[in-house]
Amino acid sequence: MKRRELLKTAATGVVAAGSLAAPRIAAAQGMRTLRFVPQANLSSMDAVAGTQYVVRNAAMLVWETLYGVDSRLDPKPQMCEGHEASEDFRTWTFKLRPGLKFHDGETVTTRDVVASLQRWMVRDTMGQAIKGRLDALEALDDRTFRFRLNKPFPKMLFALGKSNAPVALIMPERIARTDPFKLITEYTGSGPMRFNTAEWVPGSKAVFEKFADYPVRPEAGDWLSGGKRMLFDRIEWQIPSDAATAAAALQNGEVDWVETPLPDLVPLLKRNRNLAVDIADPLGNIGSLRFNHLQPPFNDVRARRAVMMALSQQDYMQAVVGDNSDLWKPLPSFFTPGTAFYTEEGGDILKGPRDVEAAKKLLGEAGLLGAKVTLVVAMDVAITKAEGEVTGDLLKKLGFDVDFVATDWGTVGARRTKKDPPSQGGWNIFHTWHAGADCINPAPYTALDAGGDKAWFGWPKSDEVQAGIAAWYDAPDAAAEKKAMAAINKASFDNVTYGPTGFFLMYQAWRTNVSGVVKAPFPVFWGVQKT
């Protein structure tokens, strides 16, 4: 046989053998890959400079925190080996676990920690509370660092381990030196997964790959605490064009897990015996109509109160979750119902019959009838789309001139940062929602802060709200905490910090060959596997 014919025959044999092996290889690779549909498009990876939940969820795969909250919302050591606190809670000393590495192979040191915490303290409300008490944040050696405060801060561990953004993520020092008001452009972390930048297509796909040198803690994983054991080599986030497409892909086995299926499609999904459907998080969510307090007309509290007098939480909630009354409840509060310090103090404006005519009268007295309102609505997220459409109709009934800007969640995330007038790219109202786990008290509740320029988007300002938050931090016991929260709730309604549109539960859905999915305010990927 001539050499050329021999090579040709050998190649044919390899192709044939490969063809027989391909299904087995593909099946094995499929078992090691999780295909996940997130709640929205991933337009950023910076959960310090931004607060979108989808960004936080992605960032938690790539970066670690010093402490992490468990399912009881108790902070447990994560990157830290442990800590010591002085009796007056003014000195906190921490030691890192040995063997921590970044994805580029560099050892995690306290220089990285200090730089990361300094960036985070600028953006986060708890971080700002620490910064306001800070005498020094110092690296004592490569694994030991210390906070020295001029005022007690007993909630330090929760601040370092909480789940809501801005999150105290630990980054390499060179990345942590990024201006806290600008997005990072390098995504090197020390978490259980690497971010595959080359395969990131915003609006379509994001890919995470297992980090082989990640030192798994020995404890069982529990929310953001314990051993984050990744049982997949690869996690693919697939962003479909709409919720119906995501549901179809789940039924067809093209994806494994959908974070927030459209409520209208849940009955159909429940009938499919290859799927599991359950409430994603019993602590639920609070719908949010967010006002811009800097720009007219909502720089006038009378305009904000007029909207509150007229809005129907039932309209909003039925738009979000349908007619299923088990999935929502009215909420004359800014706090999570069913939790220890829940209060309705000051919430009468959301109780009783809705009064559009009285609201219009108030707007007339303020000279605001017919004012133009730029309502920016993310149409690619079912929650914000539903709420935005209800608000558009309500504003028209109140006599406003409504500029309904239909866009995507990534654009909303960028536009809501702008303090300019709406005619120059700013806004008057946008919709979002807040996880119930973030609204149990003022500590993780970024959206409740009313510190003006330092507050969350909308920049509300109320000395009464801020005094209540300060009183909560200084509270010596549970009774004082409860009293402070009642004062915060009343002051937040007086100021109309934002408009709560109701409390609601959402589903998640996954293929039955996927196990380990838990209930949480965010998708917990560690411990999940396919069979």
Side-chain angles (χ1 to χ4, degrees):
M1 183 179 292
K2 294 181 180 180
R3 183 173 181 272
R4 182 175 297 176
E5 292 175 345
L6 177 62
L7 292 174
K8 183 177 179 180
T9 303
T12 303
V14 169
V15 171
S19 298
L20 291 172
R24 293 194 296 271
I25 294 171
Q29 290 174 340
M31 297 294 288
R32 297 194 298 267
T33 299
L34 179 72
R35 300 160 302 174
F36 175 77
V37 178
Q39 59 183 242
N41 174 39
L42 180 66
S43 58
S44 156
M45 281 291 291
D46 194 340
V48 176
T51 58
Q52 291 179 317
Y53 284 136
V54 67
V55 175
R56 183 273 314 270
N57 297 346
M60 287 298 195
L61 284 167
V62 177
W63 288 279
E64 278 272 58
T65 52
L66 298 166
Y67 280 66
V69 294
D70 62 16
S71 54
R72 293 168 296 282
L73 297 176
D74 293 329
K76 299 294 177 61
Q78 195 58 29
M79 294 180 76
C80 281
E81 187 175 86
H83 69 276
E84 293 180 0
S86 62
E87 289 187 8
D88 62 2
F89 297 111
R90 293 188 182 193
T91 302
W92 291 84
T93 306
F94 297 87
K95 190 167 187 176
L96 296 176
R97 297 167 58 205
L100 298 177
K101 289 184 179 181
F102 287 115
H103 299 156
D104 58 7
E106 294 294 320
T107 299
V108 178
T109 73
T110 51
R111 293 187 300 278
D112 306 300
V113 171
V114 169
S116 296
L117 293 177
Q118 287 173 336
R119 182 172 189 257
W120 165 76
M121 284 191 292
V122 174
R123 298 304 306 266
D124 183 68
T125 52
M126 291 198 81
Q128 291 165 5
I130 295 170
K131 188 176 177 66
R133 295 162 165 79
L134 189 64
D135 280 340
L137 171 57
E138 50 200 359
L140 304 183
D141 57 43
D142 281 353
R143 287 179 55 202
T144 310
F145 67 98
R146 176 179 296 157
F147 287 93
R148 288 193 290 109
L149 309 174
N150 52 49
K151 187 176 179 181
F153 194 77
K155 298 176 174 67
M156 177 67 76
L157 301 184
F158 186 82
L160 299 181
K162 68 185 180 66
S163 63
N164 71 302
V167 186
L169 302 173
I170 304 305
M171 304 177 177
E173 181 181 14
R174 66 181 184 279
I175 302 175
R177 294 299 180 196
T178 303
D179 184 330
F181 292 93
K182 295 181 179 178
L183 297 176
I184 60 172
T185 57
E186 184 185 347
Y187 312 119
T188 301
S190 64
M193 303 293 280
R194 301 173 184 262
F195 186 60
N196 186 329
T197 308
E199 292 193 57
W200 185 20
V201 183
S204 177
K205 184 173 72 170
V207 175
F208 306 83
E209 296 173 338
K210 188 174 182 178
F211 177 41
D213 289 336
Y214 176 71
V216 179
R217 291 191 68 94
E219 307 94 341
D222 185 9
W223 282 18
L224 297 181
S225 71
K228 297 180 179 178
R229 293 170 176 81
M230 299 305 308
L231 304 177
F232 295 101
D233 294 334
R234 181 179 170 96
I235 297 176
E236 295 179 358
W237 283 25
Q238 299 183 13
I239 296 97
S241 57
D242 55 64
T245 302
L250 183 66
Q251 293 182 91
N252 295 335
E254 297 168 13
V255 299
D256 303 303
W257 182 4
V258 174
E259 183 181 0
T260 51
L262 193 67
D264 290 348
L265 298 176
V266 164
L268 175 65
L269 300 179
K270 284 184 173 181
R271 290 196 293 269
N272 189 324
R273 62 184 179 182
N274 294 316
L275 303 180
V277 182
D278 200 0
I279 296 298
D281 176 20
L283 287 173
N285 307 274
I286 295 176
S288 174
L289 188 160
R290 193 73 183 181
F291 298 101
N292 187 336
H293 290 236
L294 299 183
Q295 298 294 337
F298 299 115
N299 59 340
D300 189 325
V301 70
R302 291 172 293 181
R304 303 195 297 272
R305 287 177 181 159
V307 174
M308 294 286 279
M309 291 165 60
L311 73 78
S312 164
Q313 290 190 331
Q314 180 174 345
D315 289 348
Y316 281 101
M317 293 297 93
Q318 288 183 337
V320 171
V321 299
D323 293 330
N324 190 339
S325 60
D326 293 336
L327 294 179
W328 73 273
K329 62 178 64 176
L331 186 70
S333 177
F334 287 87
F335 294 104
T336 306
T339 54
F341 298 148
Y342 175 73
T343 174
E344 296 182 359
E345 184 74 23
D348 289 349
I349 196 170
L350 285 177
K351 298 178 180 178
R354 305 291 81 205
D355 198 335
V356 172
E357 292 308 313
K360 290 174 70 174
K361 181 180 178 182
L362 180 59
L363 289 171
E365 292 171 355
L368 295 173
L369 278 175
K372 187 171 183 177
V373 173
T374 298
L375 170 62
V376 184
V377 180
M379 304 297 283
D380 59 336
V381 178
I383 296 170
T384 56
K385 178 179 183 294
E387 294 214 322
E389 289 173 346
V390 173
T391 295
D393 182 61
L394 173 63
L395 294 175
K396 290 175 183 176
K397 290 178 179 177
L398 291 173
F400 287 111
D401 176 12
V402 182
D403 175 21
F404 190 102
V405 180
T407 184
D408 60 85
W409 189 230
T411 301
V412 171
R415 187 163 179 172
R416 69 185 184 177
T417 66
K418 298 181 181 298
K419 297 179 180 178
D420 307 294
S423 61
Q424 298 175 25
W427 56 278
N428 292 124
I429 290 176
F430 75 87
H431 277 284
T432 186
W433 70 99
H434 309 300
D438 299 344
C439 305
I440 56 173
N441 62 50
Y445 206 159
T446 303
L448 198 63
D449 182 76
D453 282 349
K454 293 183 178 180
W456 198 60
F457 310 118
W459 311 283
K461 181 172 175 55
S462 167
D463 293 341
E464 292 76 16
V465 171
Q466 297 307 92
I469 293 173
W472 181 85
Y473 274 111
D474 292 339
D477 52 39
E481 286 189 19
K482 187 168 187 176
K483 181 179 178 181
M485 286 180 61
I488 293 166
N489 204 63
K490 181 181 185 304
S492 296
F493 274 114
D494 290 344
N495 181 56
V496 193
T497 303
Y498 73 85
T501 59
F503 173 83
F504 62 97
L505 302 171
M506 294 294 287
Y507 287 103
Q508 59 181 338
W510 63 97
R511 303 283 300 179
T512 52
N513 67 326
V514 175
S515 60
V517 176
V518 301
K519 295 182 178 183
F522 41 80
V524 178
F525 293 100
W526 28 95
V528 177
Q529 62 183 328
K530 284 199 291 188
T531 56

